[in-house]
């Protein structure tokens, strides 16, 4: 991560964009290989479970546990402003999770939590929209103040 961050600073690419692209892809390659292997071995349930479980575990251990410990030890929550990039990421994550909650149990898709191939194209297009908005936000084409006004608007990092 430090090497990628150094290259970004030298080339003028923000750490937010590097985190959304290079570091995110590098962090996900291991999970992708493991999930693909499980799916090809006809263990789709394990592949789908791992696709949700692994990132959830990392989120819980990397974010929730430290915040819980801080709150327990200090008696107050961490007062941390949320950046415009994090607000965009949270909105798209919520959209993807809501899509999963709707698409997987629909019997028209075959029931038993199976979805058509077109659903993967929808998810890739959702990710492309997320990256596009994030890059436009970083480039200044979208005003950060507008994004920061969404979801409460208080304490937005610039």
């Amino acid at each position: 991560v430090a090497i990628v961050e150094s290259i970004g600073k030298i080339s003028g690419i923000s750490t937010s964009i590097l985190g959304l692209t290079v570091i995110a892809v590098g962090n996900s390659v291991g999970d992708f290989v493991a999930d693909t292997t499980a799916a090809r071995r006809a263990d789709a349930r394990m592949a789908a479970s791992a696709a949700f479980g692994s990132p959830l575990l990392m989120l819980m251990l990397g974010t929730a546990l430290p915040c819980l410990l801080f709150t327990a030890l200090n008696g107050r929550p961490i007062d941390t402003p949320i950046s415009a990039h994090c607000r965009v990421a949270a909105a798209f994550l919520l959209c993807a999770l809501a899509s999963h909650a709707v698409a997987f149990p629909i019997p028209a898709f075959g029931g038993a939590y199976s979805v058509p191939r077109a659903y993967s194209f929808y998810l890739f297009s959702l990710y492309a929209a997320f990256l596009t908005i994030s890059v436009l936000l970083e480039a200044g084409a979208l005003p950060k103040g507008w994004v920061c006004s969404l979801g409460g608007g208080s304490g937005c990092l610039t």
Side-chain angles (χ1 to χ4, degrees):
V1 173
I3 293 171
V4 172
E5 187 176 358
S6 298
I7 292 171
K9 286 188 180 192
I10 291 169
S11 63
I13 300 171
S14 85
T15 54
S16 296
I17 296 299
L18 289 173
L20 290 172
T21 55
V22 177
I23 295 172
V25 169
N27 193 34
S28 301
V29 168
D31 288 339
F32 173 73
V33 170
D35 297 345
T36 302
T37 301
R40 287 185 183 209
R41 291 189 176 177
D43 198 352
R45 285 185 183 180
M46 184 169 79
S49 298
F52 288 102
S54 178
L56 182 60
L57 178 67
M58 299 308 339
L59 185 64
M60 294 298 293
L61 293 178
T63 305
L65 185 61
C67 289
L68 178 67
L69 289 174
F70 179 88
T71 303
L73 294 174
N74 296 308
R76 62 179 177 81
I78 299 174
D79 185 26
T80 305
I82 300 171
S83 71
H85 291 289
C86 286
R87 289 174 190 257
V88 169
F92 275 95
L93 177 63
L94 183 62
C95 183
L97 290 175
S99 298
H100 290 330
V102 170
F104 274 76
I106 292 179
F109 287 162
Y113 296 94
S114 64
V115 293
R117 179 174 281 196
Y119 184 68
S120 64
F121 293 115
Y122 160 73
L123 290 177
F124 277 117
S125 65
L126 189 66
Y127 183 66
F130 163 68
L131 283 180
T132 302
I133 290 174
S134 296
V135 168
L136 290 173
L137 187 65
E138 184 64 28
L142 289 177
K144 289 184 181 179
W146 177 78
V147 174
C148 291
S149 68
L150 303 173
S154 62
C156 191
L157 291 175
T158 56

